[in-house]
Amino acid sequence: MKIIVLGSGVVGTTSAYFLARAGHEVTVIERQDGAALETSFANAGEVSSGMAAPWAAPGIPMKALRWLAMRHSPLVVRPSFDPRMWRWLMQMLGNCNPASYAVNKSRMVRLAEYSRDCLIALREETGIAYDHRSKGTLQVFRNPRQLDEAQDDIAVLQRYGVPHALFDAAGCETVEPALARVRGKIVGGLHLPCDETGDCFKFTQALAQMAKGLGVVFRNKVEIRRLLHEGDAVTAVDTSLGELKADAFVMALGSYSPLMLAPLGIKIPVYPVKGYSITLPIIDAASAPESTIMEETYKVGITRLGERIRVGGTAEIAGYDLRLHEARRATLVHAVSELFPGGGDVEKATFWCGLRPMTPDGTPVIGPTRYRKLFLNTGHGTLGWTMSCGSARVLADLVSGRAPEIDTEGLSIERYRP
C-alpha cells in the first residue's frame, strides 16, 4: 500500500521504517527540517522497559501536593483556562488507584519489553550506532520510605519475569562506582540490568537514513493542515504542498495528534507534559555515571551518552508552552551535582525542553480508528524512545493485516469509549 506517516519523531520514523520493511510505499510528512527535532531531540536517553509505569499511581495525589511545595519540584502546574488540561488532570486522578495502576502498568511493561527486544534485533541486523550502552538502570532511593513505596513496582516486575535486584547502598556502588564519592546520600536502589541507554536523536536520524534506503520518502518543512475524508474513510492530508493521497495514514504527531484528530470528531486524551533536559560534557569519567540513574526524590534521570551526561526530568503541565524556565535548569543541575559532583561541566550544559504526549493512564494509543485508512501511533509520554520500536512493529502488523506478535489488549483507542 501507499502509506503516509505524519511526523518524524522517533515514533513516526520507526513506524515508517517497519512499514517499509513490510513492503509498503511510505512517505513521511514533517514540519521540521529533519527527523527528531522536537520531543525526540534531547530526551533523557533511557530505554527503560523495567521502569515502564504510569504516572497515575496510588498515592500520587498526596505526593503531588508535597512536590508542589518543594524548591526543586518534579511537578509544575501552570493553570490555564484550557478545559482539555483540567479534563486530562481529572482523568489522570481517576487512574490513581491500585486496580487501574496494575492494569495500566501491565500493558506498559508488555509493550516496553517487546520494544526492547525489537530494538536489540534491529541493532544486530543493521549495526545502527547511537551511543548505545546495555548496562541497565539504577533507581536510587534517599530514604527508607522510598524503598517501601517501590514494593508494588517490584511485584509487577516479578509477575512479568523482568530481571531486577534490590541493593543496599554498597550494592549500588558496585553498579555505579562513582556513587562511592557521595556515600551516605542514598540508602539503596532497584537495579534493572536489561535496560539500555542511547541517544534518541542519533538513533532516529540514523534510522531515517536506513529508511530512505528502503525507499521511504521524507518530505520535510511541510505544514500539515488537516485530514480530509469522504464518509467513513480518510482519503488525503491537506498540506502546504497541496492534497496528498494514500491508501493509509498513520498519525504520529505526538502532543499535536489530538489537535489534528479533533475536526474528525476523534477524541484522544493526549495532553502535552513538558520535560526538560541539560546535556553536559564529561570532564572526569570516574565521577560520571556508567549508565542511567533514576533519582527518585526529584524524578530525574541521569544518563551517560558517550562522552556526555544527559540529565532529564520535570513534569510541567503548561499546555503547548515551550519557554525555558531557569528554575527547571537549576533542578537538573542540582540533581546531577548531588550524585555526580565533578563528573560533568555544568557551566557548559545545553538546556532544552520538549512536549511529551501523555495519556492519563500512561499507555500509548496504537491501532485503527473508526475512520477507514486512519491509524494511530501516539501518546507515549516519557516512554516514546523506550516503546518506539515495539509500537512501530505492532502498528506495521495492524496496517498490513497481520496479527501482532504481542497481545494488543488495551492499546487501541477503544479503551476510551464509554
Side-chain angles (χ1 to χ4, degrees):
M1 291 187 292
K2 182 178 180 181
I3 299 173
I4 291 178
V5 175
L6 304 177
S8 67
V10 68
V11 171
T13 302
T14 51
S15 296
Y17 177 82
F18 283 107
L19 284 166
R21 274 195 18 178
H24 301 293
E25 179 186 341
V26 183
T27 299
V28 180
I29 308 298
E30 168 59 47
R31 66 180 177 182
Q32 298 293 345
D33 196 24
L37 291 176
E38 294 194 24
T39 303
S40 300
F41 181 71
N43 63 20
E46 307 158 45
V47 180
S48 294
S49 56
M51 295 294 294
W55 287 7
I60 284 295
M62 293 304 298
K63 286 183 181 180
L65 294 175
R66 293 201 305 269
W67 288 335
L68 290 172
M70 291 169 56
R71 178 186 173 192
H72 294 296
S73 175
L75 174 65
V76 177
V77 180
R78 302 188 188 280
S80 75
F81 293 107
D82 182 2
R84 289 184 58 233
M85 173 190 288
W86 299 106
R87 186 162 54 246
W88 183 88
L89 284 168
M90 292 305 296
Q91 288 174 305
M92 182 179 176
L93 289 173
N95 278 276
C96 292
N97 60 79
S100 296
Y101 181 80
V103 170
N104 296 333
K105 184 173 176 68
S106 67
R107 291 169 176 168
M108 296 173 73
V109 169
R110 183 200 323 145
L111 179 59
E113 288 277 292
Y114 175 63
S115 188
R116 184 203 58 223
D117 293 343
C118 291
L119 174 60
I120 292 171
L122 174 64
R123 189 169 63 240
E124 292 175 347
E125 292 166 8
T126 66
I128 190 169
Y130 50 94
D131 286 338
H132 144 260
R133 287 191 171 207
S134 299
K135 295 190 175 184
T137 297
L138 181 66
Q139 182 181 15
V140 296
F141 307 113
R142 290 179 178 262
N143 57 65
R145 183 177 68 184
Q146 291 174 341
L147 271 170
D148 292 339
E149 290 173 347
Q151 296 307 311
D152 288 342
D153 283 336
I154 291 172
V156 175
L157 296 175
Q158 291 172 334
R159 186 182 317 142
Y160 285 90
V162 179
H164 63 280
L166 197 60
F167 291 143
D168 59 14
C172 291
E173 293 173 13
T174 65
V175 177
E176 289 286 354
L179 292 176
R181 304 186 179 202
V182 292
R183 190 168 292 155
K185 289 190 175 181
I186 64 173
V187 299
L190 176 63
H191 186 225
L192 299 154
C194 294
D195 282 3
E196 301 190 352
T197 59
D199 188 320
C200 182
F201 171 73
K202 286 187 175 182
F203 170 85
T204 308
Q205 289 262 307
L207 192 67
Q209 291 303 313
M210 292 178 180
K212 290 176 183 178
L214 296 175
V216 176
V217 175
F218 285 80
R219 293 194 172 185
N220 298 323
K221 301 180 75 171
V222 176
E223 178 190 355
I224 301 170
R225 295 170 177 162
R226 59 181 179 138
L227 292 168
L228 305 175
H229 69 97
E230 295 177 4
D232 66 347
V234 170
T235 55
V237 55
D238 181 22
T239 75
S240 52
L241 294 177
E243 294 183 10
L244 303 177
K245 297 185 177 183
D247 301 310
F249 301 82
V250 176
M251 176 63 64
L253 291 175
S255 295
Y256 297 90
S257 297
L259 304 183
M260 193 63 59
L261 293 170
L264 299 178
I266 298 174
K267 296 181 180 180
I268 55 171
V270 171
Y271 197 76
V273 177
K274 184 160 60 173
Y276 292 84
S277 76
I278 57 173
T279 306
L280 49 154
I282 292 174
I283 54 177
D284 179 10
S287 298
E290 287 294 316
S291 186
T292 289
I293 293 284
M294 279 299 299
E295 206 283 350
E296 182 63 15
T297 300
Y298 304 115
K299 300 292 185 181
V300 167
I302 305 170
T303 301
R304 182 165 184 157
L305 297 175
E307 297 305 313
R308 302 163 295 152
I309 300 173
R310 175 71 50 76
V311 188
T314 304
E316 184 174 299
I317 302 172
Y320 291 85
D321 180 3
L322 281 167
R323 287 177 294 177
L324 290 164
H325 295 279
E326 284 300 313
R328 306 284 70 77
R329 179 203 287 263
T331 294
L332 301 177
V333 169
H334 175 75
V336 70
S337 300
E338 279 268 293
L339 293 179
F340 299 99
D345 189 346
V346 295
E347 297 300 320
K348 294 182 179 179
T350 57
F351 190 31
W352 171 88
C353 71
L355 301 178
R356 310 177 184 110
M358 299 287 296
T359 61
D361 56 15
T363 309
V365 188
I366 306 169
T369 67
R370 70 172 183 265
Y371 284 87
R372 290 184 294 112
K373 304 182 181 182
L374 178 61
F375 295 80
L376 307 181
N377 194 5
T378 189
H380 295 74
T382 58
L383 296 166
W385 181 201
T386 295
M387 294 181 170
S388 58
C389 287
S391 298
R393 282 286 299 273
V394 168
L395 185 280
D397 285 338
L398 292 172
V399 172
S400 303
R402 297 191 302 262
E405 296 176 325
I406 62 167
D407 181 5
T408 59
E409 183 278 324
L411 299 183
S412 77
I413 195 173
E414 292 299 321
R415 71 181 188 271
Y416 295 120
R417 294 193 187 281

